[in-house]
Amino acid sequence: MYPRSIQRLSALAFGLALLLISQTAIAHPGSLWGIDLSSVVALRDQARIAAYRSAGAPGERLNRVSTIVLDPGHGGDNSGAIGVAGIREKHLTLELAYHLREAIQERYPDVRVVMTRYWDTSLSLPERVHLANLAQADVFLSLHYNAAVHNRAVGYETFYLRPQDVTPEPAPVEEHTDHHDASPIEGARLVGQHDDDLVFIQRDLIRAHQHELSARLAHSVQNGFRGHLDSIDRGVKQANFGVLRGAHMPAVVVEAGFLTHPDEGSRLIERAHRQRVVNALLDAIVNFDAELEHVLDDQP
């Protein structure tokens, strides 16, 4: 049982966060009553970790994944799809992100979970990717619900970038004239003169490696859905999605069901269905972490 004072602190922080989220995002939330939402979220994280440790429970750990970025699709002026239940996609993705974040940190208290948006605000696709890169994420999940021009489309699917669209991570600008690039491959750096054949070969290797990891993440997500959702498996696909371009970590777009399907669109707004999606994505992260450890340990 958590100490009463820590429970109260956690509840207070959570209440403040929900209060801020409920406000219309006409300005940066930091200007609302002088309270910065990121500070509230950080306070709640600290309370959660302190409570967990004070209880004497060691907690579960992931081996390779330490930072996860969740991207609730759409937001602000971009409502996304509006389904048969009349609910905007932007609200459903934000709710899903908060519940998934809670589930991850409850099971893995040491894992840092960052969201690209914590409220109903507009955010461009490059900004979402840039935030994930700044956070040095190990995993990037862009959360969405699907839509179609007809009401027959149903099921879940997961997307990752085509290999030619993957961008190797650039190196920070240095004062000297040599050009080296950092790599998603642990401990690897590009070696050679700018524009020589060796650099191009190494870029291709980095791109292929990152593409492989994103493919593994996408299949982990799809397998998680298959184990928890009673719907149609539409498979793993590759596409040149703007929200994935420029990501320096394994990154996928998650489509958790069709808002426009008469039956599935109604189920998607139910709490039980959201929990099944959360469970599927949590399983996907755990399984991908195990795969990631195996892949990286096998590197020469």
Side-chain angles (χ1 to χ4, degrees):
M1 184 65 66
Y2 294 164
R4 189 178 301 275
S5 60
I6 295 178
Q7 285 182 321
R8 289 174 178 171
L9 179 61
S10 180
L12 176 60
F14 185 53
L16 287 172
L18 289 179
L19 182 61
L20 285 172
I21 296 163
S22 66
Q23 303 302 311
T24 302
I26 58 177
H28 189 281
S31 65
L32 298 176
W33 310 296
I35 300 174
D36 179 63
L37 182 57
S38 60
S39 298
V40 173
V41 172
L43 177 64
R44 185 168 184 268
D45 283 347
Q46 293 172 14
R48 172 185 51 78
I49 294 173
Y52 202 91
R53 290 176 177 172
S54 68
E60 296 184 58
R61 290 180 177 271
L62 296 176
N63 296 313
R64 294 287 184 172
V65 175
S66 60
T67 298
I68 299 170
V69 170
L70 303 179
D71 172 44
H74 309 286
D77 296 334
N78 185 352
S79 295
I82 300 178
V84 294
I87 306 297
R88 291 177 171 85
E89 182 184 0
K90 66 176 182 178
H91 296 312
L92 291 175
T93 58
L94 186 59
E95 185 178 36
L96 174 60
Y98 267 107
H99 281 83
L100 177 56
R101 180 179 186 274
E102 186 74 15
I104 295 170
Q105 293 189 320
E106 180 179 354
R107 183 169 174 181
Y108 301 101
D110 289 334
V111 172
R112 182 168 66 120
V113 183
V114 178
M115 290 165 55
T116 58
R117 65 181 181 97
Y118 292 87
W119 54 90
D120 183 18
T121 189
S122 299
L123 199 64
S124 71
L125 301 183
E127 285 175 324
R128 298 169 191 265
V129 176
H130 183 58
L131 285 170
N133 291 337
L134 286 178
Q136 298 183 323
D138 301 298
V139 168
F140 178 74
L141 299 177
S142 188
L143 307 176
H144 294 263
Y145 291 93
N146 227 330
V149 294
H150 53 79
N151 64 2
R152 298 183 301 278
V154 63
Y156 50 86
E157 55 192 354
T158 311
F159 292 85
Y160 66 108
L161 282 179
R162 302 172 303 185
Q164 63 268 30
D165 300 318
V166 176
T167 305
E169 182 178 356
V173 176
E174 302 181 31
E175 293 182 357
H176 54 75
T177 56
D178 291 339
H179 296 271
H180 299 288
D181 284 43
S183 164
I185 304 176
E186 290 189 353
R189 295 184 66 84
L190 294 181
V191 178
Q193 296 297 319
H194 183 57
D195 286 341
D196 70 12
D197 290 341
L198 180 58
V199 169
F200 286 122
I201 291 172
Q202 289 177 311
R203 280 183 181 274
D204 287 341
L205 291 174
I206 293 170
R207 181 179 288 109
H209 180 71
Q210 188 171 335
H211 179 258
E212 177 195 356
L213 294 183
S214 291
R216 288 176 179 269
L217 176 59
H219 282 284
S220 292
V221 169
Q222 202 68 8
N223 289 337
F225 280 155
R226 193 177 299 116
H228 288 274
L229 300 185
D230 183 17
S231 188
I232 302 299
D233 181 355
R234 298 172 63 92
V236 171
K237 302 175 182 178
Q238 298 182 60
N240 185 18
F241 282 157
V243 75
L244 300 179
R245 287 199 303 269
H248 298 156
M249 74 292 301
V252 298
V253 166
V254 176
E255 297 281 5
F258 276 83
L259 291 168
T260 48
H261 188 270
D263 296 327
E264 186 167 75
S266 299
R267 291 198 306 269
L268 291 179
I269 65 173
E270 297 175 356
R271 181 180 303 176
H273 187 279
R274 183 190 63 224
Q275 187 59 51
R276 286 192 288 271
V277 174
V278 166
N279 293 340
L281 294 176
L282 184 57
D283 284 355
I285 291 168
V286 174
N287 292 333
F288 176 70
D289 178 74
E291 284 201 39
L292 191 61
E293 183 178 32
H294 175 72
V295 170
L296 296 180
D297 285 347
D298 284 348
Q299 287 182 6

